[in-house]
Amino acid sequence: MIRFVLIIAFVTCFLIASIPIFLAEWLIGKRWPYAREISSLRIVQWALKVIAWLAGTRLTVIGEEHVPKDTPVLYISNHRSYFDIILTYARCPRPTGYVAKKEMLKIPLLSRWMKFLHCQFLDRSDLRAGLKMILSCVDLIKNGVSITIFPEGTRGKGSNELEMLPFHEGSFKVATKSGCPIIPIAISGSSAIFEDHKPYVRRRDVTIEYGAPIYPAQLSKEDQKALGKYTQGVIEEMLRGQLQSI
């Protein structure tokens, strides 16, 4: 329980202390937009690293050399924990927006940081809004901002790390319409930090593995038509390898 309390206290203090930072970031962005993006990214990444440290997370990272540093990408990951966002965003090498549920807009200060970082908010009950959000993500990719999507649509709650909900194929239009590569991410062990025993935060081992870039145009026509299923298969194989090595 101590870890949980420390994390809540840190997040609260960070958000309150960041109020004057918003003004400074806004002023920087008026003249140097890219500088503001990078500074906002690094500030938030620092905070996320502190949260991971407070949680006692022991992180193993595999295949990070697969992530391009000079071009935006679409990150696609399995999803079992809130810590998936904390741990992966802390490692993004360039401005990156995450697709989040629209309910996050109700959280003051946090939602402001998310907007600064190009996060997109999805109304899962509104198909038209979902299509508009996909097009916004495509525009961001074309302007140099990477996008991260958890295409299961929600956190997996099964006891087996290999259990994943079907990937929503619509998520992959971000890659097919923008021409960017897909970076598959396989995360194991993250639910053991918090979700498996709420409200306690436990010191646990987590593995994040980045797969080789997937270029949709280079796949067979069959795999292009079922890009979500294909990518999910790649992530499942990475998870199998992680679990076998334990």
Side-chain angles (χ1 to χ4, degrees), residues 57-58 78 80-81 83-84 87 161 186-197 202-208 239 242-243 246:
T57 306
R58 296 172 296 226
N78 64 314
R80 293 178 58 84
S81 171
F83 277 83
D84 297 337
L87 298 173
E161 293 272 9
I187 306 172
S188 62
S190 59
S191 64
I193 301 173
F194 178 64
E195 280 76 10
D196 291 350
H197 37 68
R202 304 294 193 195
R203 182 179 177 87
R204 291 292 185 265
D205 296 312
V206 177
T207 299
I208 297 177
L239 288 171
Q242 292 175 21
L243 297 176
I246 296 176

Side-chain angles (χ1 to χ4, degrees), residues 117-239:
L117 298 170
H118 302 292
C119 290
Q120 301 295 297
F121 300 93
L122 175 63
D123 183 350
R124 287 175 288 191
S125 65
D126 188 337
L127 179 60
R128 182 173 297 180
L131 293 173
K132 185 177 180 180
M133 187 273 298
I134 291 295
L135 294 177
S136 294
C137 289
V138 171
D139 287 340
L140 286 171
I141 290 280
K142 291 180 177 179
N143 283 283
V145 178
S146 293
I147 294 294
T148 300
I149 297 179
F150 299 103
E152 292 171 89
T154 187
R155 288 178 290 112
K157 298 176 175 62
S159 58
N160 188 340
E161 293 272 9
L162 294 175
E163 290 182 16
M164 289 182 280
L165 297 170
F167 282 13
H168 294 294
E169 293 289 341
S171 304
F172 295 83
K173 292 185 182 297
V174 176
T176 55
K177 289 184 176 295
S178 68
C180 76
I182 297 169
I183 300 295
I185 304 176
I187 306 172
S188 62
S190 59
S191 64
I193 301 173
F194 178 64
E195 280 76 10
D196 291 350
H197 37 68
K198 296 177 182 178
Y200 300 99
V201 174
R202 304 294 193 195
R203 182 179 177 87
R204 291 292 185 265
D205 296 312
V206 177
T207 299
I208 297 177
E209 183 174 359
Y210 297 87
I214 298 171
Y215 295 90
Q218 297 178 6
L219 300 177
S220 68
K221 291 184 177 180
E222 181 179 352
D223 288 334
Q224 288 182 39
K225 290 180 180 178
L227 191 50
K229 183 178 180 180
Y230 175 86
T231 306
Q232 187 167 17
V234 171
I235 292 174
E236 184 176 343
E237 283 303 308
M238 289 195 290
L239 288 171

